[in-house]
Structure formats: C-alpha cells, structure tokens
Amino acid sequence: MEAEPIEFLWRRYEEPLDRARMALAKFVGARAKDLVFVPNATSAVNAVVRSLELRPGDELLTASHDYNACRNVLVEAARRAGAKMVVADVPFPVRTPEDIVDAILRSVTRRTRLAMIDHVSSHTALIFPIEQIIRELQERGVDTLVDGAHAPGMVPLDIKQLNPAYYTGNLHKWVCAPKGAAFLWAREDKQDGLQPAVISHGNNQLRPGYTRFQDRFDWAGTLDPSAKFSVPDAIDWMGKLLPGGWRELRQRNHELAVKARKILCQCLGTEPLCPEDMLGSIATVRLPEKFQGRPLKGRFELEQVQLYKQFGIEVPFLRIGSPPARFIRVSAQLYNTIDEYYYLAEALGRID
Ligand SMILES: Cc1ncc(COP(=O)(O)O)c(C=O)c1O
C-alpha cells in the first residue's frame, strides 16, 4: 500500500475486498451482495439510523440493555426529527427469553419506525432471542436493526435466515480481526435508501458488477483497509485452532464462561442473573454488598483500576439499573483458563 498507493488503493482495491466479503458472507450466512464493510458497529448504526426519513411523532424503539453509543445515535436522530425515543424496560435479572420478547413487544405502537435490538447485550451479557424478536416485530410492521456487535464468532450466525431489515456485527471482537473490521448487512429492499455514515465517491461513481449499496459503502475516503482485508485470514485461523473448528471454539468459550460465572457467584455469594443457555462467552455477575452503594468517583471505576495495577487483571466494572447496582463482566476466549477466574475471585476478596 505504501510502495504503490494508487495501484493498491485504486486499481486493485476490489481484489482483497471481494475476497474478504466472500469469506465473511459464508461465515455469517449471507449473500455477498448484501454485505458491506464498515469500521465498527457504531458506524453501521449511524448509517442506518441517519438514513431514516423520520417525521415528527415517529418512534424509535430500543431496549434498556442497549449500548450507550448506539442509543446516542437514536437520541440524536429523534431530536432532529421531533421523533420520540421509546426504551423497552427489559428486566435484569432475567428468568426466560420471553421476558425480553414481552418487554420489547409491549413497547411497540403504530408509530414505531425502527427497533434497534442487541443480539448479545453488552453490559448484561445476554443472548437475546433475536429470531423471535425479528419475526414478531416484522409481523407488527416494524423493521429491526440488529446490533450484533458481539455476535460473530460468539454465536452461530445465519443472517439470511434471521432476515431482519439490517444487521451489524463486529469482527474485531470474537473473530479477532484487527480493530476496524465490522460489517453491515441490509435486506435487499432496504438497500436503496441507505447512506453510509461517511459519503464518498460511490454515490455517483458506479462500478460494473457491484450493487449501488456496495458502491456507496465500499469507499469511505482514504483509510488503511488492512483490518477488513485481514478478515478471511482471521476467520480461517480461528477456525483451525480446535479440531471441531468454529463450533468447538464457540462451545468451549461458552462452557468456560458458564464455569467462570459459577465460580464467581459461589465465591462472591451472589445469584446468577439469567439461565445458562442465555449466555454466550461473556457473563455478568453481581458484586457483593461490600462493593454496592459506592458512587463513581472520577472517570474510572477505582476497583477496576486497582485490580489492573495490583493483580494484572482487566475486568469491566459496570453499573446497571436505576438506582444502579454494581456488576463485573467476564469473558472467555481460548487463551483464558479456569484458574484465572479463581484468581479474580480471590483478588476481589482482597481489595476493599
Ligand atoms: C452491543 C454493542 N453494540 C455496539 C458496540 C460498539 O462497538 P464498536 O465500538 O466496535 O463500534 C459494542 C461494543 O462493545 C457493543 O457491545
């Protein structure tokens, strides 16, 4: 790229791009023509939501477990259009997947234009029953934007089968591609009105053999495309780490997350917050009373920084609900071992 930028970024750009798109399409169960790369899920949510032509009184629906950055996109779009934000109050702890479906459907009205729903929620670490949610919303005439930031590589994906209006996923999380690798899938009937977060040449320079959707998204100004071009290798490499491939990798990570949660709940004396089969490879655990009721001082959670400095542990401390209770969220990837969660439990006992 640096030796011959024009040859690489202009004349030969589509070769690695198409290779990456094909590999991704296979991995997520989609047609390549419905897929574009974006730098991250936030960027995809911006593209979708800011492409909507909202009218005053329209409603944008999200769930209380959503991701703050993505919620902000809805809030801003609603503010500009005089539309209304509706937040479905999903309980936490959650007893069954139906609790989530019911909370979302209760919040739908005739004015709901779009529902942004997580596939795997970030703070609460739940796998949402996304197939049922998409279907039920569609039956009510509501388009779903699935925020699947955490899903690729953590849960099996067949986007064509799910068939929402829009789906975005990150490849720089559980597929371990370099940062800046994510995708947006749009159903064919939704592609026409969709503009990228960054408009560039593609709006009037069309390439033979590509959809207008791809033309608009494939080039977003000069950027290092290494992250997206690395996606086929990331998918391939991760898929070869265990004899059973991706299926075994996901299963192994899920089982480790379940065990990690068990260990932490036992050691901390707190209750699990959802059934095991609603967990992927992340799990949120409520912190014991000694950590509750402490307001946030400054920008960072003191205990999180203390664990990092004193014990070399990086674990997010979270505040969820109103009034907020305090939690930690653990992750399980191939390089993690069971001993690390015992070590975390012990370290939590030693800090104050
Ligand atoms: C549910 C969810 N949505 C969106 C994002 C944002 O991802 P990115 O920062 O890559 O845009 C995250 C990141 O953790 C997430 O968990």
Side-chain angles (χ1 to χ4, degrees):
M1 179 168 70
E2 296 304 339
E4 291 295 347
I6 300 300
E7 170 75 353
F8 186 86
L9 284 174
W10 209 238
R11 286 192 291 270
R12 303 194 60 182
Y13 180 68
E14 276 82 7
E15 292 169 27
L17 181 66
D18 288 341
R19 187 174 86 91
R21 184 158 29 214
M22 291 296 289
L24 177 64
K26 194 158 166 245
F27 187 68
V28 300
R31 300 186 307 184
K33 63 191 263 200
D34 302 325
L35 270 178
V36 290
F37 285 97
V38 288
N40 47 53
T42 308
S43 174
V45 170
N46 269 274
V48 171
V49 174
R50 293 164 75 183
S51 295
L52 298 174
E53 290 179 12
L54 295 171
R55 286 186 301 265
D58 284 349
E59 293 179 5
L60 294 175
L61 175 60
T62 183
S64 50
H65 293 215
D66 61 359
Y67 189 72
N68 177 60
C70 299
R71 163 105 53 112
N72 283 344
V73 184
L74 296 182
V75 169
E76 181 56 17
R79 187 190 67 75
R80 278 173 175 246
K84 187 175 157 201
M85 276 292 296
V86 177
V87 181
D89 192 13
V90 174
F92 193 61
V94 61
R95 284 171 304 118
T96 67
E98 281 66 40
D99 288 353
I100 300 179
V101 180
D102 292 346
I104 291 170
L105 295 183
R106 265 200 308 274
S107 307
V108 172
T109 75
R110 279 188 302 117
R111 317 222 49 176
T112 311
R113 287 286 311 281
L114 180 87
M116 181 183 75
I117 307 292
D118 292 351
H119 194 164
V120 182
S121 60
S122 177
H123 279 31
T124 51
L126 304 172
I127 299 177
F128 275 34
I130 201 66
E131 189 169 354
Q132 190 187 349
I133 294 169
I134 293 166
R135 196 179 54 243
E136 302 263 9
L137 286 172
Q138 198 60 53
E139 279 170 19
R140 289 159 178 77
V142 177
D143 283 341
T144 305
L145 159 58
V146 182
D147 177 356
H150 266 287
M154 185 195 291
V155 294
L157 264 186
D158 187 344
I159 297 180
K160 223 167 161 287
Q161 166 78 22
L162 292 175
N163 206 29
Y166 315 94
Y167 192 108
T168 180
N170 276 334
L171 304 159
H172 50 224
K173 289 187 185 291
W174 296 91
V175 177
C176 297
K179 304 290 175 279
F183 69 88
L184 171 62
W185 177 95
R187 208 171 58 212
E188 198 165 3
D189 60 302
K190 294 291 164 191
Q191 292 175 7
D192 269 359
L194 204 47
Q195 286 287 349
V198 174
I199 293 171
S200 184
H201 292 299
N203 274 30
N204 64 354
Q205 291 183 353
L206 313 185
R207 299 161 303 169
Y210 290 87
T211 64
R212 299 291 306 271
F213 170 55
Q214 291 174 331
D215 284 333
R216 287 195 295 271
F217 278 80
D218 278 358
W219 183 263
T222 308
L223 279 175
D224 184 348
S226 306
K228 60 188 171 196
F229 289 179
S230 305
V231 165
D233 296 283
I235 293 172
D236 188 51
W237 189 78
M238 293 290 284
K240 285 183 178 150
L241 289 174
L242 297 176
W246 271 102
R247 183 191 294 270
E248 187 179 344
L249 178 60
R250 286 192 301 261
Q251 187 60 26
R252 185 263 181 204
N253 289 344
H254 167 70
E255 283 165 13
L256 187 56
V258 168
K259 280 188 205 147
R261 183 175 76 161
K262 222 175 246 167
I263 290 165
L264 286 161
C265 284
Q266 268 164 14
C267 295
L268 303 176
T270 62
E271 291 300 314
L273 302 163
C274 70
E276 285 180 1
D277 58 7
M278 291 181 77
L279 291 179
S281 36
I282 51 180
T284 295
V285 176
R286 191 184 162 98
L287 285 163
E289 281 314 307
K290 79 166 180 174
F291 291 105
Q292 301 296 339
R294 299 179 183 178
L296 181 63
K297 290 199 188 114
R299 202 174 143 206
F300 304 112
E301 296 285 1
L302 292 179
E303 299 91 340
Q304 180 170 346
V305 176
Q306 195 184 352
L307 281 181
Y308 179 69
K309 286 194 175 155
Q310 216 174 310
F311 297 90
I313 295 171
E314 188 67 85
V315 70
F317 276 62
L318 308 166
R319 291 171 192 263
I320 303 174
S322 170
R326 303 186 75 203
F327 302 81
I328 51 170
R329 194 194 70 190
V330 289
S331 299
Q333 183 51 286
L334 256 192
Y335 46 76
N336 292 118
T337 61
I338 202 75
D339 292 343
E340 290 172 307
Y341 306 100
Y342 282 113
Y343 179 59
L344 167 61
E346 190 196 321
L348 283 166
R350 286 171 56 189
I351 63 171
D352 37 49

